[in-house]
Amino acid sequence: MRPLLISVVTLAMALTASAIFINFADEDVHQMVAVIDQQVMPAVLNEDWDTAKESFQKTQSIWQRHKTAYIFFSDASAVQETEMSFHRMHGYLSGEDKADCAGELSSLKRHLLFLHEYEIISIENVI
């Protein structure tokens, strides 16, 4: 009976931690995507590089603060792809390349949304 109780308690703790992370990730991901859509992308398209760099730094700081949680709960390759996208974007902003920045921002946004979608409990993720 004791092993069953330990198993049930452990499962409950894991599910609770996962639910907390999903809620926490939802807020972060949507905040980062909003900054990309409303601040970074318009600045890049208008070639306002100072504003683009400053706004992108906001997104990057949110990512850096919570990256450890994403590493713990998400697929390592998805987190690594997102991290690489941040690094590429930083390089494109430094080079002030409008086309590459716009393309990488779209890719980064998709990576961020995938990280969140990957953790949601759904039929697609279970199968």
Side-chain angles (χ1 to χ4, degrees), residues 94-112:
S94 296
E96 298 183 356
D97 188 333
K98 180 179 175 179
D100 285 340
C101 281
E104 194 60 43
L105 279 172
S106 296
S107 176
L108 176 59
K109 190 168 81 169
R110 186 65 211 133
H111 284 301
L112 290 169

Side-chain angles (χ1 to χ4, degrees), residues 44-105:
V44 165
L45 295 177
N46 292 327
E47 297 187 37
D48 181 1
W49 300 111
D50 291 332
T51 302
K53 290 173 186 175
E54 186 178 305
S55 298
F56 182 71
Q57 185 59 39
K58 290 178 192 175
T59 303
Q60 198 166 23
S61 67
I62 294 168
W63 171 254
Q64 290 300 324
R65 275 196 318 263
H66 303 295
K67 182 172 62 172
T68 305
Y70 287 102
I71 290 170
F72 185 72
F73 285 101
S74 297
D75 179 47
S77 62
V79 173
Q80 185 175 6
E81 283 293 322
T82 305
E83 182 73 10
M84 292 305 297
S85 191
F86 271 104
H87 287 291
R88 283 191 300 270
M89 185 59 201
H90 183 69
Y92 294 147
L93 278 173
S94 296
E96 298 183 356
D97 188 333
K98 180 179 175 179
D100 285 340
C101 281
E104 194 60 43
L105 279 172

